[in-house]
Amino acid sequence: MVSMPTPILFLFTGGTIAMRTDPASGAAVPALAGQEILAFDPEMARVCTPVVVDYGCFPGPHITPERMWEISEILERELERDEIAGAVITHGTDTLEETAYFLDLRHHSPKPVVLVGAMRNASELSYDGPANLRAAVRVAMDPASRDQGVMVVLNETIHAAAEVTKSDTQAVETFVSPVFGALGIVDEDRVLFGRRSLLRDPINATACEYRVDLIEAFAGADSRFIDHALATGAQGLVINGMGRGNVPPPMIPGIQRALDAGLPVVLASRCVQGRILDTYGYEGSGRDLRQRGILFAGTLSGAKARLRLMLALGLTRDRTQIGLLMERWAY
Ligand code: ASP
């Protein structure tokens, strides 16, 4: 008797991997459903049995936290089926690291989940979608991938959701993990892990507080954007600070107003690499902000810290608990 290859969930959400060049405009637009993407690799049916869910065909910038929540609900529901060994999720690379991290925070089963995309669309000679998809499937099926949470695979490289970021606007080797490096590689049909990520810290939230804003510090920045966030109902703030975690002094009155109003305010860094710390002691420094009650995002980017705060606020409004949820994983 011939046995069926292992069933793998394919959740298609869009991105360049699902795009073609529109002949009229010459620009890439959403075009392909899941089965059409899979058809580029006729051998895939020998590797696994695809269980296809077409969530949508959204460009990365059209993905919202509300959609991340929906994708997460579908993912966890499908993974409860015993026969499904793991999941591959196609996604636009622009927001791929955000959805990967959001899904990782809500993923509790040992089954591997791999996000994948492409930097060249299906009309281009060097379409990297099928090869990336095949590599992602190899990772999703590998026994060593179990209990590693949500991973990202592009260009034959495996990254942890909490650590990965898009670094190049157009290169196929765009995804990097600046602080700790990649988890492993895919070499033809073999998956080789060099390390495991020790930074996973899921949040068991059954709700999400979407009203959390991310505000960038820049030379000469003041409190106007913070005050606008407060006036329009923000329930939490993430400040993308400078360097080790510092902001221009004119941002301080707005941050203080947010803290006085009882909002959790989290400090991340615009730097792509490194950790937030209270090294400096001048006005607007990490130490100044710390003494006022700001929380530190550790090595998380501002965008990921925002998603973490959304789920933390979905779980509890207790300030001590939120402080623990935001900081315990990184220290
Ligand atoms: N702009 C595209 C998107 O995120 C980029 C890609 O998928 O590679 O949808």
Side-chain angles (χ1 to χ4, degrees):
M1 200 179 88
V2 184
S3 63
M4 288 249 298
T6 310
I8 294 289
L9 174 71
F10 283 73
L11 226 169
F12 291 95
T13 77
T16 296
I17 195 168
M19 293 191 195
R20 279 196 183 282
T21 306
D22 171 36
S25 67
V29 290
L32 303 174
Q35 290 291 3
E36 293 172 294
I37 299 171
L38 279 172
F40 279 87
D41 183 3
E43 291 297 303
M44 187 66 96
R46 283 187 216 274
V47 178
C48 68
T49 301
V51 177
V52 174
V53 175
D54 272 303
Y55 172 76
C57 203
F58 300 104
H62 294 199
I63 295 287
T64 58
E66 287 84 351
R67 287 189 169 140
M68 292 177 198
W69 181 274
E70 284 175 0
I71 293 167
S72 166
E73 293 283 297
I74 296 168
L75 172 69
E76 298 304 321
R77 193 173 62 233
E78 293 290 326
L79 287 180
E80 277 174 20
R81 291 165 56 181
D82 286 343
E83 70 275 18
I84 293 183
V88 170
I89 303 176
T90 63
H91 200 286
T93 59
D94 289 357
T95 47
L96 190 146
E97 71 209 54
E98 290 180 65
T99 299
Y101 184 60
F102 190 95
L103 298 181
D104 194 42
L105 290 174
R106 298 200 69 221
H107 181 58
H108 296 279
S109 103
K111 294 184 181 179
V113 176
V114 181
L115 270 84
V116 62
M119 292 300 286
R120 312 268 190 262
N121 75 64
S123 303
E124 295 182 273
L125 282 178
S126 53
Y127 181 39
D128 52 337
N132 283 342
L133 201 56
R134 179 72 84 83
V137 169
R138 292 286 184 207
V139 176
M141 294 179 69
D142 198 278
S145 299
R146 284 180 73 81
D147 283 313
Q148 300 236 42
V150 177
M151 291 167 280
V152 171
V153 172
L154 257 89
N155 201 40
E156 293 160 346
T157 311
I158 311 165
H159 298 273
E163 303 173 32
V164 69
T165 191
K166 184 176 181 179
S167 69
D168 193 303
T169 57
Q170 56 82 34
V172 292
E173 67 272 27
T174 185
F175 281 97
V176 294
S177 297
V179 187
F180 301 107
L183 294 179
I185 58 169
V186 184
D187 184 4
E188 299 191 351
D189 60 354
R190 290 208 51 205
V191 175
L192 298 167
F193 282 99
R195 69 175 180 94
R196 298 178 77 85
S197 175
L198 303 177
L199 295 178
R200 281 199 76 219
D201 187 10
I203 294 180
N204 208 359
T206 52
C208 183
E209 172 54 80
Y210 295 106
R211 295 169 297 171
V212 176
D213 287 314
L214 172 62
I215 294 170
E216 178 103 348
F218 48 86
D222 57 24
S223 292
R224 282 174 302 146
F225 293 118
I226 299 170
D227 287 336
H228 181 72
L230 296 178
T232 53
Q235 299 297 301
L237 289 180
V238 177
I239 307 293
N240 221 14
M242 299 164 168
R244 194 73 151 141
N246 311 304
V247 301
M251 289 184 85
I252 299 265
I255 292 172
Q256 191 63 57
R257 281 190 280 276
L259 291 166
D260 290 345
L263 265 67
V265 184
V266 178
L267 183 65
S269 177
R270 309 189 308 184
C271 292
V272 292
Q273 187 163 344
R275 182 164 159 257
I276 292 295
L277 208 62
D278 56 354
T279 305
Y280 293 96
Y282 52 80
E283 188 187 8
S285 66
R287 186 153 313 188
D288 179 7
L289 296 168
R290 188 69 172 168
Q291 281 162 354
R292 293 170 191 272
I294 211 163
L295 299 166
F296 283 177
T299 57
L300 275 188
S301 67
K304 288 182 186 172
R306 171 176 171 258
L307 297 170
R308 188 170 182 87
L309 185 54
M310 283 180 177
L311 289 176
L313 281 164
L315 185 64
T316 178
R317 296 283 156 158
D318 180 87
R319 287 299 305 277
T320 309
Q321 286 302 319
I322 288 172
L324 281 171
L325 287 166
M326 291 309 297
E327 294 193 330
R328 72 176 179 206
W329 73 278
Y331 293 90

